[in-house]
Amino acid sequence: MITPHSFAFGQPLRIVEQADRRPKKVFVLGVYASAVHAHWIGPDGKEKVRALAVASEPYIFWRGDGAEEIIAGITVPPAVGKLVPAAAEFNGPSGMALDRLFLEPLGLSRDEAWLCDLVPHSCMNPSQREAIKRAYAPRMQEHGLPEVSIPAVPAQLADDGRRKAILKELIESQAETLILLGDQPIRWFLSSFDSRWQRLSDFQPYGAEHEVQLDGRRLRVLPLAHPRQVAKLGQSSKEWYERHKGWVDSKRNGH
């Protein structure tokens, strides 16, 4: 657990990391952990926040299961309303995209993948910060609501210490293939070991594997677009969506 950070309504911010430590075929590196999102409805029945982050995701690359039970366990003063699960698109979309659009085309299941993030906990993005400022902060003192202290997305997504920790996990996983999701894992992890690549567009063609040396360990690297792009989650790139779709189609056709 990370202390003293906490979400709106008091749930603690937690480290989210790989639980199954058995050897794996691939090691997947993402950016930062997601969160459980609730729809906050005021006592008058009107919407306060459409999707408010209220808890750390229960496991890495969460698929949205159990959201109702998690949210039901959060204490909310009746005077400020109630929490119900946010729309399905807000809970677990990256985890579902990982399974369907990354692992399945490779013929892999979750049991064969070791999952990791550059930042191993949830972060507060600008839209969440605005929601807290608008709807939550004005009610904190009046209703005794806990302070929100989730850190913002850091400008530096990994320092030397974090890179060493990720490398340690990678070695423990015994995976022979490292899958990188988008620009950030390339910039903040891979490029520190191999300066040939700084971003996803440096790799050609899309979806090809490359051999690299990481601290003396030979690996295959498979750089792919972030789930946000390939599953059209919020603002996304049509170009990366189309490139990834072509890769998925080629894998499913046996090429």
Side-chain angles (χ1 to χ4, degrees), residues 124-143:
M124 185 181 292
N125 61 33
S127 64
Q128 286 292 312
R129 187 183 304 112
E130 180 57 34
I132 293 295
K133 180 180 178 180
R134 172 182 57 80
Y136 188 86
R139 295 169 173 80
M140 283 177 55
Q141 185 171 359
E142 181 181 357
H143 300 287

Side-chain angles (χ1 to χ4, degrees), residues 9 22 44 47 53 57 62 67 85 89-90 98 110 118 133 135 147-148 156 185 188 200 215 219 228 239 245 250:
F9 300 107
R22 294 175 295 177
D44 57 1
E47 177 180 284
E57 59 180 354
W62 176 51
E89 65 192 85
F90 295 106
L98 177 71
R110 278 283 179 112
L118 292 170
K133 180 180 178 180
E147 183 178 353
V148 181
Q156 183 178 2
W188 293 104
L200 183 57
D215 199 35
L219 289 169
R228 175 182 297 170
E239 177 185 356
K245 184 177 184 299
S250 70

Side-chain angles (χ1 to χ4, degrees), residues 156-201:
Q156 183 178 2
L157 291 170
D159 57 15
D160 286 342
R162 180 57 187 156
R163 280 188 284 271
K164 288 178 181 177
I166 294 170
L167 182 62
K168 183 179 178 180
E169 280 195 54
L170 177 57
I171 293 170
E172 183 183 351
S173 75
Q174 299 182 37
E176 295 182 351
T177 300
L178 169 61
I179 299 174
L180 302 171
L181 302 181
D183 286 337
Q184 305 299 3
I186 298 167
R187 176 184 178 189
W188 293 104
F189 182 72
L190 180 65
S191 67
S192 294
F193 300 94
D194 192 323
S195 61
R196 288 179 292 171
W197 300 295
Q198 300 293 324
R199 60 186 65 82
L200 183 57
S201 58

Side-chain angles (χ1 to χ4, degrees), residues 10-65:
Q11 293 298 295
L13 180 68
R14 299 182 182 277
I15 291 289
V16 183
E17 59 187 359
Q18 179 74 15
D20 175 6
R21 316 292 283 198
R22 294 175 295 177
K24 305 298 179 186
K25 291 183 178 181
V26 298
F27 187 99
V28 181
L29 184 58
V31 183
Y32 63 86
S34 186
V36 179
H37 290 82
H39 184 194
W40 180 10
I41 302 171
D44 57 1
K46 296 181 180 179
E47 177 180 284
K48 294 296 183 186
V49 180
R50 183 185 181 196
L52 181 67
V54 292
S56 293
E57 59 180 354
Y59 59 85
I60 192 166
F61 280 92
W62 176 51
R63 291 168 286 206
D65 49 300

Side-chain angles (χ1 to χ4, degrees), residues 197-211:
W197 300 295
Q198 300 293 324
R199 60 186 65 82
L200 183 57
S201 58
D202 292 339
F203 291 88
Q204 298 295 335
Y206 182 83
E209 293 186 355
H210 303 261
E211 193 170 282

Side-chain angles (χ1 to χ4, degrees), residues 72-102:
I74 299 173
T75 300
V76 179
V80 300
K82 64 180 180 179
L83 299 178
V84 298
E89 65 192 85
F90 295 106
N91 283 320
S94 290
M96 290 186 286
L98 177 71
D99 288 355
R100 183 171 57 90
L101 298 173
F102 294 84

Side-chain angles (χ1 to χ4, degrees), residues 226-245:
H226 191 274
R228 175 182 297 170
Q229 312 294 350
V230 307
K232 294 184 176 180
L233 304 175
Q235 292 184 342
S236 58
S237 163
K238 182 179 180 181
E239 177 185 356
W240 289 121
Y241 170 82
E242 294 292 346
R243 287 193 185 189
H244 193 83
K245 184 177 184 299

